[in-house]
Amino acid sequence: MGHERSHNVPFTDFVRHKEAMKTPCINAGLIPILVSLLDSTNQELLLHVGRAIGRICYDNNDLQEQLVAAGVITSVVRILSAYPDNEALVRVNLLALSNLADLDTAKAALSKTKVAEQLVLQLRQVNHHEKVEIILEVLQTLAENDALKLQLAEAGIQDAVTETLLRLQDSSKPEDMCSLKAASDLIVSLLLG
């Protein structure tokens, strides 16, 4: 029992320290500076900026709204379009979309981009279960918006999901079962409404 407590205290201290470090970054005006760096063509810089923004804004709706208002959605979609073969950069941007896609303001901003085309392209090219899950999660959230649902249909989401289901149908791996369920849920969402 005492052994567990000694491991829990440092972890909670770490979490508090991590949260406490966000406030000085925000107060120093780091968010607008980071957002402006998203215009770079340096992929390594984009990767680090994306990670920093993700860590600062994770699970913070106010900061996420600030990012959307600052135009981060356009940058994320541009980066996905410009560097579709850079796995690490794509993953960071997919995670950003995953964190932001629940916001109505983000959905409105995404409806003015070509995000549907990029997500369908990524779903067709994906070869790792974690990335499949992230893409399907984002697609599921976007399918709640009628304008985005139409864009997804025009981008060929139905074919991409069918291809994904065919690739995974004979697998018995738990992670593939989760992806199969997510793909099935997405089909239902696309058909409803």
Side-chain angles (χ1 to χ4, degrees):
M1 189 89 116
H3 182 65
E4 288 177 20
R5 177 177 281 166
S6 67
H7 282 32
N8 288 337
V9 172
F11 178 73
T12 55
D13 287 346
F14 171 75
V15 170
R16 265 184 271 173
H17 173 72
K18 188 174 175 183
E19 287 300 314
M21 292 307 299
K22 286 183 180 184
T23 303
C25 290
I26 296 160
N27 292 342
L30 191 58
I31 298 296
I33 294 167
L34 289 171
V35 170
S36 71
L37 291 173
L38 292 173
D39 291 332
S40 174
T41 57
N42 180 321
Q43 294 178 49
E44 191 69 24
L45 176 63
L46 291 171
L47 180 63
H48 293 298
V49 169
R51 286 179 178 157
I53 288 173
R55 287 185 181 122
I56 292 170
C57 297
Y58 177 75
D59 208 22
N60 186 320
N61 282 351
D62 292 336
L63 288 174
Q64 291 169 353
E65 290 284 358
Q66 286 178 31
L67 283 172
V68 173
V72 77
I73 294 294
T74 305
S75 296
V76 168
V77 175
R78 180 193 59 77
I79 292 165
L80 284 173
S81 301
Y83 310 106
D85 297 323
N86 183 328
E87 286 293 320
L89 195 52
V90 166
R91 184 176 187 286
V92 164
N93 282 277
L94 288 172
L95 289 171
L97 284 177
S98 176
N99 287 329
L100 297 171
D102 284 331
L103 302 173
D104 289 336
T105 53
K107 288 177 188 163
L110 284 165
S111 70
K112 298 173 186 167
T113 69
K114 296 192 181 290
V115 70
E117 292 175 18
Q118 294 308 312
L119 291 173
V120 168
L121 173 72
Q122 287 297 324
L123 186 58
R124 284 193 162 127
Q125 294 177 348
V126 71
N127 57 9
H128 188 270
H129 75 272
E130 182 182 341
K131 190 174 171 185
V132 171
E133 287 182 34
I134 295 168
I135 294 169
L136 290 172
E137 177 185 321
V138 172
L139 289 168
Q140 176 79 25
T141 303
L142 298 184
E144 296 169 4
N145 178 286
D146 289 338
L148 288 166
K149 189 184 294 189
L150 180 60
Q151 286 182 21
L152 289 168
E154 290 171 354
I157 189 62
Q158 58 282 6
D159 295 331
V161 172
T162 300
E163 292 166 15
T164 302
L165 289 170
L166 290 172
R167 269 195 322 263
L168 299 174
Q169 73 181 353
D170 294 327
S171 176
S172 59
K173 296 178 188 173
E175 58 269 14
D176 290 340
M177 294 287 109
C178 289
S179 295
L180 279 168
K181 182 186 179 325
S184 299
D185 290 346
L186 176 59
I187 290 171
V188 171
S189 293
L190 291 167
L191 293 173
L192 296 176

